[in-house]
Amino acid sequence: MKTILEVNQLSVFHQESAHCLLKDIHFSLTKGQVLALVGASGSGKSLLAQSIFQLLPENLRQKGDVLYSGRQVNEQDRGTNIVLIPQSVAALDPLMKVGKQIEGLIQAGNPHQMMLDLLARLGLDADIATRYPFQLSGGQARRVLAMIALGSPANVVIADEPTPGLDQEAKNEMIALLKQVKQAGKAILLITHDFDVALQLADQVAVLEQGSIVEVADVEHFSGEGEKLTHPFTKALWQSLPQNLFKI
């Protein structure tokens, strides 16, 4: 299947100190594929999302290639070919009604009707469209963020920590929504520290340690005591999970 997003030898440095935060990152995604990027807090997961969107802070620089359909990603790709489901629901425009925000991303057919269809598809009442973000519950707001990804024409979705702070019911809802995104044929880079979420959604898992991807493994390899995993850090991470009796 044709590669839709490719990251080659991507590194991120501090401008002045040249201290390396991400080193030689490489992975690729095809349509309908989910790659989960897991690692400890501070390992560089969200920084990678900023790099793909070319939205790094001014004190950082990057080198390497980020390719969409074989060409370098540019500003026009953001929100059109590549869309972000951000960590915070604060990413919704507080001054615009929810329906208008969703319609603004739908570029074909009847945007208003498609927006209503998406609301129904995600189990949300039509009157949600008339509300402002502050009038939504946390679960409703997260579903709206996922709906924006579904309604967008983008072929690539980057979901940056979509489940932290959610109770189990809300987490299950978000997993179900992301499965719908996958079933719609979109490629997903799932950035998460939650192995349970990664294993339910991903085809492969990339493990990030101190700014480097140390292993990319099929999701089926995360079983038992991790006998099929190759890197010591990946094995230690897997064996330290609660369901694996916190082995170290």
Side-chain angles (χ1 to χ4, degrees):
M1 189 175 293
K2 183 179 179 181
T3 298
I4 191 72
L5 180 72
E6 187 171 3
V7 174
N8 287 322
Q9 295 183 308
L10 177 66
S11 297
V12 175
F13 303 86
H14 279 291
Q15 285 273 27
E16 296 182 1
S17 69
H19 176 66
C20 189
L21 301 174
L22 290 176
K23 183 178 180 182
D24 294 335
I25 300 297
H26 173 79
F27 65 85
S28 61
L29 281 169
T30 59
K31 287 187 176 182
Q33 179 188 4
V34 179
L35 175 68
L37 183 71
V38 302
S41 296
S43 58
K45 300 188 300 297
S46 293
L47 186 62
L48 177 57
Q50 292 177 295
S51 301
I52 291 171
F53 278 90
Q54 300 177 345
L55 292 173
L56 290 173
E58 290 185 0
N59 64 329
L60 302 180
R61 62 184 177 89
Q62 68 186 70
K63 69 175 184 178
D65 295 318
V66 180
L67 307 176
Y68 175 82
S69 292
R71 59 165 178 76
Q72 291 286 348
V73 168
N74 56 48
E75 290 183 7
Q76 286 70 42
D77 290 314
R78 296 200 296 260
T80 302
N81 294 316
I82 307 173
V83 68
L84 176 69
I85 300 177
Q87 289 188 36
S88 173
V89 296
L92 292 169
D93 187 337
L95 302 178
M96 183 183 293
K97 291 181 179 180
V98 168
K100 291 297 182 184
Q101 295 192 50
I102 298 166
E103 288 178 28
L105 289 170
I106 298 173
Q107 300 180 2
N110 183 330
H112 181 70
Q113 186 57 51
M114 290 183 69
M115 178 271 297
L116 293 176
D117 291 344
L118 283 169
L119 286 173
R121 181 175 173 183
L122 300 186
L124 292 168
D125 294 334
D127 69 352
I128 290 286
T130 66
R131 300 182 193 176
Y132 291 95
F134 75 88
Q135 295 174 308
L136 304 179
S137 69
Q140 288 171 334
R142 288 193 178 275
R143 277 185 280 180
V144 167
L145 288 172
M147 183 166 55
I148 287 174
L150 274 169
S152 164
N155 289 313
V156 179
V157 174
I158 299 176
D160 187 7
E161 297 283 11
T163 59
L166 299 182
D167 61 29
Q168 192 59 49
E169 182 179 359
K171 182 187 291 188
N172 290 341
E173 281 186 357
M174 180 56 68
I175 291 170
L177 295 179
L178 290 172
K179 285 181 177 178
Q180 289 191 43
V181 173
K182 177 181 180 178
Q183 289 164 3
K186 300 177 188 290
I188 302 175
L189 176 63
L190 173 66
I191 297 173
T192 184
H193 66 275
D194 191 326
F195 248 106
D196 180 57
V197 173
L199 297 183
Q200 290 189 59
L201 283 168
D203 302 294
Q204 291 185 309
V205 177
V207 179
L208 194 66
E209 181 190 19
Q210 296 181 348
S212 296
I213 291 179
V214 296
E215 182 168 359
V216 179
D218 291 343
V219 70
E220 293 82 5
H221 290 183
F222 291 88
S223 62
E225 295 190 1
E227 297 89 348
K228 294 183 179 181
L229 301 173
T230 60
H231 196 277
F233 178 77
T234 308
K235 289 186 177 182
L237 191 64
W238 171 245
Q239 292 173 359
S240 68
L241 297 177
Q243 62 265 39
N244 296 326
L245 303 179
F246 299 100
K247 295 177 182 178
I248 55 173

